[in-house]
Amino acid sequence: MYEKLKKLERQIGNTPLIQLEHEKINLYTKLEFHNLMASVKIRPAFYIIKSALEKGEIDENTTIIESSSGNFAIALATICRQLGIRFIAVIDPNINSIYENLLQTISYRVVQVTDRDETGGFLLTRIQMVQKHLKEIPNSFWTNQYSNKDNFKAHYEGLGTEISNHFDKLDYAFIGVSSGGTISGISCRLKEKFPSVKIIAVDTEGSVIFGTPSKKRFIPGIGSSMVPPLVKEACIDEVIMVSEINTVSGCHELYNNHAIFAGGSSGTAFYAVKEYFTNKQLEYKPNVIFICADHGMPYVDTIYNSDWITWLHNQIQPTEAREDEPASNEGKEVSNAIFR
């Protein structure tokens, strides 16, 4: 197993860090979709599985179980398939159809919950399903991305170290939040080298992580229906909430203006950067980084689809509640943005 892990490890990390044009700041992004399976989630998935093997918590007869909106499950399924270990993915209806089809192909089993939890999301229902399987399946193991300290360590030692090694000075880091592992690991590592760096947590409207009201969310990969324990480990200076319509706008602008075809959390973080510095008075051009966590291909039927964007706009702002024309035009402008 360890020889197979070494082969996989060669395809993880050391992703490109590039600079984007911006008139007010020195803007950089880390292209995490250059990782194995095209997302940042391969880092913690690999670290957690490797650590569990070393601790004797799992073996070749173990069944790995995890709740995921897509990328983490795909990462785990890939690693488990290479190691010959069974993997069960617990998903929900918000998953991209491309991800769901892929998981059906590479996983031992896929279980989809359909009931929303009390927050309007699916996370708590997914976790209940994980717990049910843990009781029913002997020698099963929950990787538990929401509270497993190895999720934190993966980003502290990996992505956080790679970013800190790239810069002599770093002023701002904008990091999307879901399970909490990415922001906790990166923020702690960056604060060690750059004590004055501002860590900006980026979340989506409808998520409850930072105490805002819960509501239905339709774009996976960012936000949560609960406060993940790992978030408590993060060194956060400010929080920015972004609507899902503006997530779409951020994704389209990344593609149209910078030729970066990225997923929902990437567009959310990029939009947060843009809004944060729009009216900010600066004495110098600060160094700013955000993370492009995954690729845009799984989102071609949603974020990059004009019909779906119109549908999303109607879900967020129902026709009968719209009285002003600017709100109505917002959805039309966003849905047409990528086709300009």
Side-chain angles (χ1 to χ4, degrees):
M1 279 194 181
Y2 292 103
E3 287 301 317
K4 292 180 179 178
L5 282 174
K6 288 181 181 178
K7 291 179 181 178
L8 289 172
E9 194 169 19
R10 298 182 194 128
Q11 301 180 63
I12 301 171
N14 299 310
T15 51
L17 195 159
I18 65 172
Q19 184 169 5
L20 308 182
E21 291 183 3
H22 196 286
E23 61 182 4
K24 296 182 68 174
I25 62 177
N26 298 316
L27 180 59
Y28 300 85
T29 188
K30 197 87 156 82
L31 302 180
E32 284 297 290
F33 50 74
H34 283 262
N35 273 307
L36 174 65
M37 302 314 292
S39 93
V40 69
K41 292 293 188 177
I42 195 71
R43 292 180 185 260
F46 179 86
Y47 198 102
I48 289 171
I49 293 296
K50 181 182 177 183
S51 177
L53 280 168
E54 291 172 345
K55 296 173 186 174
E57 295 174 333
I58 64 174
D59 56 35
E60 64 274 10
N61 298 314
T62 301
T63 299
I64 306 295
I65 307 172
E66 184 56 285
S67 151
S68 171
S69 59
N71 281 317
F72 195 64
I74 287 169
L76 284 172
T78 300
I79 295 167
C80 288
R81 176 168 282 247
Q82 293 301 309
L83 298 180
I85 298 175
R86 291 183 295 273
F87 172 67
I88 297 175
V90 180
I91 63 173
D92 64 57
N94 277 349
I95 192 172
N96 295 302
S97 60
I98 294 174
Y99 279 173
E100 182 175 1
N101 292 336
L102 178 57
L103 281 171
Q104 293 286 359
T105 300
I106 65 178
S107 303
Y108 173 71
R109 187 187 307 160
V110 176
V111 178
Q112 184 177 96
V113 302
T114 55
D115 295 331
R116 290 186 179 271
D117 56 40
E118 58 264 33
T119 71
F122 294 98
L123 177 57
L124 303 183
T125 309
R126 292 199 323 245
I127 291 177
Q128 289 173 3
M129 183 62 70
V130 170
Q131 297 288 0
K132 178 177 182 292
H133 279 73
L134 288 173
K135 292 178 181 178
E136 295 175 350
I137 301 173
N139 192 16
S140 54
F141 179 81
W142 181 20
T143 45
N144 195 358
Q145 61 174 315
Y146 313 103
S147 62
N148 192 325
K149 288 292 183 69
D150 285 326
N151 189 351
F152 167 93
K153 293 176 183 177
H155 292 296
Y156 177 88
E157 297 179 7
L159 186 50
T161 297
E162 289 174 26
I163 293 172
S164 65
N165 288 343
H166 183 89
F167 294 96
D168 293 323
K169 185 177 186 297
L170 185 62
D171 301 288
Y172 296 88
F174 287 72
I175 306 170
V177 185
S178 55
S179 69
T182 305
I183 193 166
S184 60
I186 294 176
S187 65
C188 289
R189 182 66 185 91
L190 293 183
K191 286 284 189 179
E192 287 180 1
K193 184 173 181 180
F194 313 106
S196 62
V197 65
K198 285 190 177 297
I199 304 297
I200 314 297
V202 182
D203 199 5
T204 184
E205 291 181 3
S207 168
V208 305
I209 296 174
F210 298 105
T212 53
S214 64
K215 66 178 182 180
K216 288 184 180 180
R217 291 176 286 117
F218 304 96
I219 299 175
I222 188 168
S224 177
S225 299
M226 68 176 189
V227 181
L230 285 178
V231 171
K232 298 175 184 176
E233 306 291 331
C235 304
I236 298 171
D237 295 289
E238 297 181 51
V239 176
I240 295 179
M241 305 298 295
V242 177
S243 72
E244 291 191 312
I245 284 295
N246 287 333
T247 286
V248 173
S249 178
C251 287
H252 288 190
E253 188 171 338
L254 261 180
Y255 179 71
N256 289 330
N257 297 345
H258 303 286
I260 295 177
F261 189 46
S265 64
S266 309
T268 307
F270 176 72
Y271 186 89
V273 172
K274 186 181 72 168
E275 289 301 298
Y276 187 86
F277 290 104
T278 295
N279 297 314
K280 201 172 188 66
Q281 299 299 315
L282 300 170
E283 297 178 359
Y284 62 94
K285 293 185 75 171
N287 290 338
V288 181
I289 191 168
F290 71 99
I291 311 299
C292 279
D294 66 351
H295 199 263
M297 191 59 69
Y299 303 84
V300 293
D301 292 331
T302 55
I303 289 173
Y304 295 99
N305 180 291
S306 60
D307 290 336
W308 185 88
I309 296 167
T310 300
W311 173 86
L312 174 67
H313 186 70
N314 290 335
Q315 298 301 308
I316 295 173
Q317 204 165 12
T319 303
E320 61 269 22
R322 291 201 305 266
E323 298 178 356
D324 58 323
E325 188 61 24
S328 179
N329 285 339
E330 180 188 10
K332 295 176 183 177
E333 290 171 1
V334 172
S335 63
N336 289 329
I338 201 168
F339 304 109
R340 286 196 299 247

